[in-house]
Amino acid sequence: MASLSLLPTFVSLSPSPSLSPSSSSSSSSVTCLSPSRIHTVTVHSPRWSRSAKRSLVPRSTLDEVSVIDPPPPPPPSEPKSDLIESLKLKLLSAVSGLNRGLAANEDDLRKADAAAKELEDAGGLVDLSSDLDKLQGRWKLIYSSAFSSRTLGGSRPGPPTGRLLPITLGQVFQRIDILSKDFDNIVELELGTPWPLPPVEVTATLAHKFEVIGSAKIKITFEKTTVKTTGNLSQLPPLELPRIPDAFRPQSNRGSGEFQVTYLDTEIRVTRGDRDELRVFVIS
């Protein structure tokens, strides 16, 4: 005897005669016929018309249904945090070995600028009204596009640097206190002396006050310079150079400046100055 699972099953669907066409809901009975059992299931559906009829085509359980697999989903995009980290490494790689920009040529400047723009675009606009606390701390300058001019002042007037000159630029830092609004540029210098005297190591601190203008622009105002000897002469007292009154300062140098913070997190900071100077800092 053939198995029951191989026999076709007939299903009929008809409206229930107990309900009128105007009823708000209707019911229909579904009868499943098989050689051994008859099952009736009542199905309710809204506003079922008496005249509506449906029939389901008999189908054997041996019927085969072919299914077409959907196309695979596109690969997930790179998470933004991973993208930011890779672009930070790209920028740091572009400026490494350039002696903070003193050894940069035109091609180096273009590569550093392109890497910085990629990071700036991925990070989005900086809003210091909510991220001001990220400025807090001591930042180490690792690159300045202005140093390619081979002067300590960058694009501004400053003493030139070179192996034949008695001035060697050391590390450069920025110390920022968001509560007192102190903004200090700290420069380590080595001053050459006549032989056989050893060179003199000094640290110059250019003290400023800062204020935030708009969402990401910072204005600094110079106050004073303090020079302190280090190394063998660290016992000497610091020398403080007061701020020159504006009446005696050149018109182009009033002791203030502005720059835009274009990228900022807890590890790296990128700024662009009022003379198109690109600077890259890392927290130290």
Side-chain angles (χ1 to χ4, degrees), residues 14-132:
S14 62
S16 173
S18 61
L19 297 178
S20 63
S22 60
S23 299
S24 59
S25 65
S26 62
S27 65
S28 59
S29 62
V30 180
T31 304
C32 302
L33 305 179
S34 68
S36 59
R37 294 181 181 83
I38 299 177
H39 301 282
T40 302
V41 180
T42 301
V43 180
H44 295 275
S45 60
R47 300 186 182 279
W48 186 270
S49 172
R50 174 184 288 274
S51 61
K53 292 182 180 180
R54 288 187 180 180
S55 63
L56 303 181
V57 178
R59 182 178 297 275
S60 170
T61 57
L62 295 179
D63 286 349
E64 295 183 357
V65 179
S66 61
V67 179
I68 302 176
D69 293 334
S77 58
E78 185 178 9
K80 185 174 181 180
S81 59
D82 293 343
L83 175 62
I84 291 292
E85 290 301 317
S86 64
L87 292 178
K88 286 164 62 174
L89 291 176
K90 182 177 180 180
L91 175 58
L92 296 178
S93 177
V95 301
S96 65
L98 300 180
N99 192 16
R100 287 145 296 170
L102 291 169
N105 55 34
E106 289 297 327
D107 187 53
D108 296 326
L109 294 174
R110 285 192 295 268
K111 289 180 180 179
D113 188 75
K117 285 181 178 178
E118 286 188 88
L119 180 60
E120 292 164 345
D121 292 341
L125 297 177
V126 176
D127 186 3
L128 293 180
S129 63
S130 58
D131 291 336
L132 186 63

Side-chain angles (χ1 to χ4, degrees), residues 18 106 147 172 209:
S18 61
E106 289 297 327
F147 280 170
V172 179
K209 290 292 185 180

Side-chain angles (χ1 to χ4, degrees), residues 155-175:
S155 57
R156 295 172 173 81
T161 62
R163 290 184 301 175
L164 300 179
L165 293 174
I167 299 177
T168 301
L169 177 66
Q171 300 296 335
V172 179
F173 300 92
Q174 281 185 349
R175 185 172 55 210

